[in-house]
Amino acid sequence: MSTRLEALPHRHVLTLPAMPSAVRTARETAEQTLAEWGISPRHPAVGPALLILGELVTNSVRHAAVLSPQVTVIYAASEDCLAFAVHDRHPYQPPLNALVTGTGTDGLATVMELTLALGGTAVVRADADAKGKSIWITLPL
């Protein structure tokens, strides 16, 4: 999938305190935002996307909150693509490729399994100052 994320016409940004309640709020916001964009909650990619999103926000809350008091979720879409990112200010960048090859052991393995099963992509992007990162997920609709 070679969609340029900047070209997606729909975009919504949500910043939350890095607390457990952020997971539910991020999912509920995704559901509401997707509905506003005309993406049916029954679309086969929506359920897995919500699960992936929940896992990524959970990981930020659990592992990054010590350095990142906030987590930011970016939602984006077009008629044939759904993308979202979870950003925190912790410098650790999980090795997503290790999860694909089976050498990774953390909860991101589920994220990668679902993303790849849907024909999507996952990438970690470091902040310019290398003190934070975003994990971007892109799924076809």
Side-chain angles (χ1 to χ4, degrees):
M1 182 181 313
S2 62
T3 302
R4 290 192 55 216
L5 297 173
E6 306 82 30
L8 297 177
H10 301 291
R11 190 171 290 256
H12 182 79
V13 178
L14 175 68
T15 300
L16 300 163
M19 300 170 48
S21 61
V23 179
R24 181 177 185 171
T25 303
R27 284 180 56 110
E28 289 173 349
T29 301
E31 291 170 328
Q32 180 181 2
T33 301
L34 294 176
E36 289 172 4
W37 293 342
I39 299 170
S40 171
R42 294 187 179 143
H43 188 286
V46 171
L50 294 174
L51 182 61
I52 292 166
L53 176 64
E55 181 64 31
L56 292 176
V57 175
T58 296
N59 283 348
S60 283
V61 168
R62 283 187 183 159
H63 304 295
V66 67
L67 296 178
S68 183
Q70 295 180 323
V71 59
T72 299
V73 182
I74 303 164
Y75 310 89
S78 67
E79 68 179 39
D80 62 354
C81 177
L82 171 62
F84 53 91
V86 175
H87 175 266
D88 62 55
R89 291 291 293 163
H90 193 289
Y92 176 71
Q93 296 180 38
L96 298 180
N97 60 337
L99 299 168
V100 173
T101 62
T103 57
T105 58
D106 79 18
L108 289 176
T110 300
V111 167
M112 291 306 298
E113 184 177 327
L114 288 169
T115 300
L116 295 175
L118 291 166
T121 61
V123 69
V124 179
R125 293 187 176 154
D127 290 354
D129 65 3
K131 293 182 180 179
K133 83 295 197 165
S134 298
I135 299 179
W136 277 94
I137 304 294
T138 307
L139 302 171
L141 289 175

